Amino acid sequence: MNILLFGPPGAGKGTQSALLVEKNGFAHISTGDILRAAIKNKTSLGIKAKETIDRGDLVSDEIVTGLVDEVVDTLENKSFILDGFPRTVVQAENLDKLLKNKSKKVDKAIFLDVEKDFLVKRLSGRRVCKNCGASYHVDAMPTKVEGVCDKCGGETYQRKDDSVEAIEKRLEVYESSTAPLKDFYENKGILVKVPGLGSMDEVYNRLNEVVSS
Ligand code: AP5
């Protein structure tokens, strides 16, 4: 089964994808992670995308579609989770076409539903490992030693786009560009809404039921 996880910034897509990879064996395709790796490695894509991402805008549909197309080719028949792609209706249409060309499809489009007040708290408290990308939260999931990743000992930092201004921008962009995907996938009959509030394990259990049914 191939799924996509979508929802507002901070809904828990990355956190839940990591659990679904670990416990259910999915491959994880995160356009946000791919773009951040490109920025870290100062590739031409990273240099081009950095400013756009830091201010909370979207990278072009064409670029992100190309990235996903390349990664899907490496997965052979492994089930995958798309996290953070598609984020616009154009991307969703592109995804349909590219998967059809590879005789694949998305089976469930899972909308992770979290209200705005919680999103701001989650995003402003997020800390990420510079080295391995593991994600933490200062209250909900702190590192054992402040500033040090539990998994690899790397230094944790706050993403530039987790500043208050960039969070506001990302929420606006989400409402105008990504929220319409709910109708897009409802019309296709594959939309599943999952409440994203509660502990990380509670949310995982809800998702596990959806992917196991
Ligand atoms: P991306 O990295 O995809 O950012 P996002 O969608 O804004 O999502 P986030 O990573 O901010 O949140 P999340 O839902 O994964 O939450 P998380 O699990 O970390 O994209 C970044 C940028 O790249 C975009 O703004 C854009 O510029 C560009 N980009 C990427 N894809 C693109 C595309 N397709 N098209 C164009 N541009 C694209 O959780 C957040 C925090 O909450 C963490 O601290 C976590 O520990 C905590 N938390 C999680 N779950 C819980 C819980 N149940 N209870 C308490 N705390 C929790």
Side-chain angles (χ1 to χ4, degrees):
M1 169 181 302
N2 301 317
I3 61 170
L4 67 84
L5 261 188
F6 73 109
K13 303 179 294 292
T15 303
Q16 294 302 326
S17 294
L19 292 170
L20 287 161
V21 167
E22 185 194 323
K23 297 174 192 257
N24 302 68
F26 282 97
H28 182 207
I29 307 174
S30 158
T31 41
D33 286 352
I34 297 170
L35 290 165
R36 278 185 292 280
I39 292 174
K40 188 176 166 193
N41 296 325
K42 297 195 166 69
T43 65
S44 58
L45 164 65
I47 291 164
K48 246 196 270 171
K50 183 176 184 326
E51 232 182 87
T52 310
I53 292 176
D54 284 352
R55 71 169 178 265
D57 267 323
L58 293 184
V59 175
S60 80
D61 291 332
E62 196 188 349
I63 289 179
V64 288
T65 303
L67 293 174
V68 171
D69 199 355
E70 275 176 28
V71 179
V72 172
D73 279 339
T74 66
L75 298 179
E76 296 177 351
N77 286 325
K78 196 163 184 192
S79 294
F80 58 80
I81 308 172
L82 283 161
D83 159 11
F85 179 92
R87 259 178 149 88
T88 65
V89 170
V90 171
Q91 289 179 22
E93 288 165 350
N94 289 347
L95 177 65
D96 279 353
K97 280 182 224 149
L98 82 84
L99 290 180
K100 198 169 173 207
N101 286 339
K102 301 177 202 298
S103 305
K104 292 179 192 283
K105 66 181 172 74
V106 168
D107 299 288
K108 290 183 182 174
I110 304 177
F111 173 65
L112 212 45
D113 196 3
V114 176
E115 289 149 41
K116 184 176 170 186
D117 286 354
F118 293 91
L119 299 172
V120 176
K121 267 192 207 134
R122 283 188 182 182
L123 291 171
S124 54
R126 174 167 54 190
R127 299 293 181 269
V128 181
C129 176
K130 268 186 187 167
N131 181 45
C132 73
S135 176
Y136 300 91
H137 189 277
V138 289
D139 300 318
M141 195 190 177
T143 51
K144 290 187 186 110
V145 178
E146 196 184 327
V148 181
C149 176
D150 291 352
K151 292 192 176 128
C152 75
E155 188 188 341
T156 62
Y157 77 110
Q158 183 166 30
R159 272 169 46 177
K160 261 216 170 129
D161 62 345
D162 282 343
S163 67
V164 176
E165 304 80 60
I167 291 172
E168 280 302 322
K169 178 72 189 170
R170 285 159 67 201
L171 290 170
E172 262 174 54
V173 170
Y174 163 76
E175 280 303 333
S176 58
S177 302
T178 309
L181 290 179
K182 279 183 266 180
D183 286 343
F184 182 90
Y185 287 113
E186 181 134 55
N187 290 337
K188 284 186 168 292
I190 59 168
L191 178 72
V192 185
K193 289 184 186 168
V194 171
L197 283 184
S199 72
M200 293 170 194
D201 284 344
E202 282 165 348
V203 179
Y204 167 74
N205 288 338
R206 289 176 205 140
L207 287 171
N208 186 37
E209 262 182 41
V210 172
V211 300
S212 308
S213 63

